[in-house]
Amino acid sequence: MTTRAYQEIYLSNAQSALGDAFDYAVNSCNVDGKDFVSFFTASTICKQMENGEPSVLAGKSGIEIAVQVLLETTGKEYNATPKEHFERSKEYWIGWAVAYYQWYSSRKYSDIFKALPYEDLQKMYYTLHEADITKFVDIAEERIKEFFPDTNLKRIRSSYGCTQAELAKRAGVSLRSVQMYEQRNKDINKASVETLYRIAKVLGCTIEDLVEK
């Protein structure tokens, strides 16, 4: 079973909160959607949502989240009166859908928004906002693979400045295994916990960072 970002009991709250946050920031505070994506992904509250912290997911409204994000990143206090909607806005759907995919994939919001820019999400609204969320997930998965063609192992190893041979030697893993994991000829998700732990220790990351979603 794939590990989700946090317990499912908080998912609905996370979706509605991020949906309301985007809606409030864009439609009530007149913040550009692309800018709010940048503000949100740079904020501490983004990390808290990724980790599924109940104090945020169950303790803050979307408006509170937006206000905190904007204050933290711009230094400005926003207190605009929320605009009333008879139906969910495009901006609400963007936050709602992305929050679901973040929970589903355990990926960082910053990576999701790199593969799915705000402008693209706006266009997707018209064909997907009434469809089952799984259709959005399928598209998001394909876009992530296109944007991040390298495996997590290769990306992290390269960033660390370590060659395949060095990693193999220091982790006590065969060079062939490292090569096959990076080429997706061997599924790293099926590697032993011990192997993953040794590799992660060398690269200064977590086992979860190495696993392919």
Side-chain angles (χ1 to χ4, degrees), residues 6-23:
Y6 48 82
Q7 294 180 48
E8 191 171 359
I9 57 171
Y10 297 116
L11 175 59
S12 180
N13 285 348
Q15 288 183 266
S16 59
L18 195 58
D20 283 336
F22 267 87
D23 178 74

Side-chain angles (χ1 to χ4, degrees), residues 101-164:
Y101 181 64
Q102 191 279 322
W103 167 81
Y104 173 89
S105 66
S106 296
R107 293 185 181 278
K108 294 180 180 180
Y109 277 110
S110 57
D111 286 345
I112 295 171
F113 281 114
K114 284 176 186 174
L116 292 163
Y118 190 77
E119 304 95 317
D120 291 2
L121 289 165
Q122 285 182 303
K123 296 172 185 175
M124 292 167 70
Y125 167 81
Y126 297 103
T127 54
L128 295 177
H129 75 282
E130 292 183 347
D132 189 278
I133 190 65
T134 56
K135 291 189 177 181
F136 175 77
V137 168
D138 290 342
I139 292 173
E141 289 282 82
E142 287 303 312
R143 294 289 289 273
I144 286 285
K145 288 177 182 176
E146 290 172 7
F147 197 87
F148 299 105
D150 289 337
T151 60
N152 292 336
L153 174 58
K154 183 176 181 180
R155 180 168 49 81
I156 294 170
R157 178 185 60 74
S158 299
S159 298
Y160 188 79
C162 181
T163 67
Q164 290 179 332

Side-chain angles (χ1 to χ4, degrees), residues 61-81:
S61 70
I63 292 175
E64 289 173 327
I65 288 174
V67 168
Q68 183 173 329
V69 166
L70 293 169
L71 177 61
E72 181 183 330
T73 56
T74 70
K76 298 179 182 178
E77 289 192 30
Y78 287 78
N79 56 6
T81 301

Side-chain angles (χ1 to χ4, degrees), residues 77-101:
E77 289 192 30
Y78 287 78
N79 56 6
T81 301
K83 291 184 179 179
E84 290 188 22
H85 296 285
F86 294 107
E87 58 183 24
R88 292 174 176 176
S89 67
K90 182 193 306 180
E91 293 72 26
Y92 178 95
W93 177 83
I94 289 172
W96 179 87
V98 170
Y100 182 93
Y101 181 64

